[in-house]
Amino acid sequence: VQLQASGGGLVQAGGSLTLSCAASGSIFSINRMGWYRQAPGKQRELVALISNDGTTNYADSVKGRFTISRDNTQNTAWLQMSSLKPEDTDVYYCNANVIAISRPYGVNYWGKGTLVTVSS
């Protein structure tokens, strides 16, 4: 199983950016998918989560500005980020709890980080 994250880049404060995370491999189903972010020297923190029934959870710092969504048929999740602030600058990591075809329980997978830079 692999997670491919994309969509990072440079954007001005107040702008928008959408990240995508596509899971591939021998996937039976995906439980939760989510986005985390990490700044140098800091712990990785939760940004947003979405379960397979569409229930979402957001960090307080992004509520009302970020929206997480997913398409279970494509094994893909998106993070729409709007009203971006310089403090949103971080490396963003995609995470998914995947049940593989050959394994009847979920395992956490991480994608490579994608850098989001918000200029003031």
Side-chain angles (χ1 to χ4, degrees):
V1 175
Q2 291 185 327
L3 299 184
Q4 181 67 48
S6 61
L10 173 64
V11 63
Q12 287 189 331
S16 299
L17 210 57
T18 297
L19 306 181
S20 66
C21 174
S24 61
S26 300
I27 297 170
F28 177 74
S29 66
I30 301 177
N31 295 322
R32 65 182 181 278
M33 299 186 78
W35 290 93
Y36 292 73
R37 63 189 183 187
Q38 185 172 23
K42 293 188 177 181
Q43 284 190 331
R44 193 169 294 186
E45 64 176 14
L46 172 69
V47 177
L49 282 175
I50 184 167
S51 63
N52 55 7
D53 66 358
T55 302
T56 58
N57 185 32
Y58 296 94
D60 288 342
S61 58
V62 306
K63 281 181 182 176
R65 301 188 298 121
F66 290 12
T67 301
I68 189 170
S69 59
R70 66 187 282 178
D71 184 328
N72 292 334
T73 64
Q74 297 182 45
N75 293 327
T76 300
W78 296 270
L79 183 69
Q80 295 174 282
M81 305 182 292
S82 60
S83 301
L84 283 161
K85 305 174 182 179
E87 49 264 44
D88 293 319
T89 295
D90 265 324
V91 178
Y92 285 69
Y93 295 90
C94 173
N95 172 271
N97 187 267
V98 179
I99 299 176
I101 291 174
S102 60
R103 196 173 48 232
Y105 54 88
V107 174
N108 272 337
Y109 291 89
W110 291 93
K112 292 184 180 179
T114 184
L115 178 62
V116 173
T117 303
V118 184
S119 63
S120 56

